[in-house]
Amino acid sequence: MKIVLLNAATLPVYCPELADLLLDTLQGGASVGYQRATSHQEAESNFYRLRDELQKGERLIWIARDEQGVVGCISLALNMQPEALNRGTIKLLLVHRRARRKGVGKKLLAELEKSACARQRGVLSLEVRAGSGAEAFYRSQGYRCLGEIPDYLCSADGYYHPAAIYFKRLFAVNQTVRSIAS
């Protein structure tokens, strides 16, 4: 398996496979913020729309590939506000059903964390459906739960569910944030 960081030029090449991955994940019952009835074209468009964020350096996307194609992806939104330059938000972690329980998610997350550190993002956060298997996964990777927000995530079943908010401190950042007013 190979982990590849996408850029604005390579993202369109992988959009069809990323759409397949998203649809497989939804069919497997995962709650990742998309409706189960999402068409392949809609799924592909959702990934293609991230191209601008990649171009601006506001988002990073990695894919995991094996001999059959894309088996996983993960995305990191880099906070660009001056007061939040030490933070990043994990937006999406998908693993194809045929590749689950093989370390794909762990490898993608490790690559994301390594890159976050290199970009001085010492605190990562994410939202997952409360009570989902994703909670156990992130806890096993050192993430801590801050609490839940009710009726926050719409899942493949068409209903809103509570979201659990997780974070991990990768390192302490001691920076002085300049006041916007000055």
Side-chain angles (χ1 to χ4, degrees):
M1 181 182 58
K2 184 175 180 181
I3 306 292
V4 178
L5 178 63
L6 300 182
N7 59 42
T10 57
L11 176 66
V13 173
Y14 291 103
C15 282
E17 285 186 84
L18 287 166
D20 291 340
L21 174 63
L22 175 59
L23 294 176
D24 173 78
T25 304
L26 291 173
Q27 290 166 359
S31 179
V32 293
Y34 291 89
Q35 296 291 327
R36 183 170 291 160
T38 299
S39 71
H40 193 277
Q41 183 178 356
E42 290 171 319
E44 201 170 324
S45 293
N46 284 334
F47 283 105
Y48 188 82
R49 279 193 288 267
L50 299 175
R51 192 171 183 208
D52 189 47
E53 290 180 47
L54 288 174
Q55 184 72 41
K56 292 178 183 176
E58 297 170 350
R59 182 180 296 258
L60 301 171
I61 300 173
W62 293 264
I63 58 170
R65 292 184 49 80
D66 67 8
E67 60 282 345
Q68 296 176 12
V70 174
V71 294
C73 76
I74 195 166
S75 174
L76 176 66
L78 299 169
N79 294 339
M80 303 307 279
Q81 303 85 2
E83 70 278 3
L85 291 175
N86 68 320
R87 298 192 299 255
T89 305
I90 299 171
K91 296 302 249 181
L92 191 62
L93 173 58
L94 303 174
V95 177
H96 197 283
R97 286 181 286 179
R98 71 176 167 80
R100 292 205 181 133
R101 302 269 183 222
K102 295 181 180 177
V104 175
K106 285 182 183 181
K107 289 177 183 172
L108 285 165
L109 186 59
E111 190 65 31
L112 179 145
E113 289 177 357
K114 184 174 106 182
S115 292
C117 286
R119 288 167 175 78
Q120 298 300 302
R121 296 325 201 262
V123 178
L124 299 178
S125 64
L126 61 108
E127 304 161 355
V128 297
R129 181 174 169 180
S132 70
E135 284 198 88
F137 171 76
Y138 283 108
R139 278 194 305 271
S140 75
Q141 301 306 303
Y143 287 76
R144 295 176 46 196
C145 184
L146 288 173
E148 293 183 9
I149 301 174
D151 303 328
Y152 194 72
L153 293 176
C154 185
S155 66
D157 63 11
Y159 293 98
Y160 284 92
H161 299 276
I165 310 302
Y166 279 80
F167 79 97
K168 183 175 184 179
R169 188 175 194 186
L170 302 176
F171 61 86
V173 179
N174 293 317
Q175 299 180 7
T176 302
V177 178
R178 284 188 250 159
S179 170
I180 296 172
S182 55

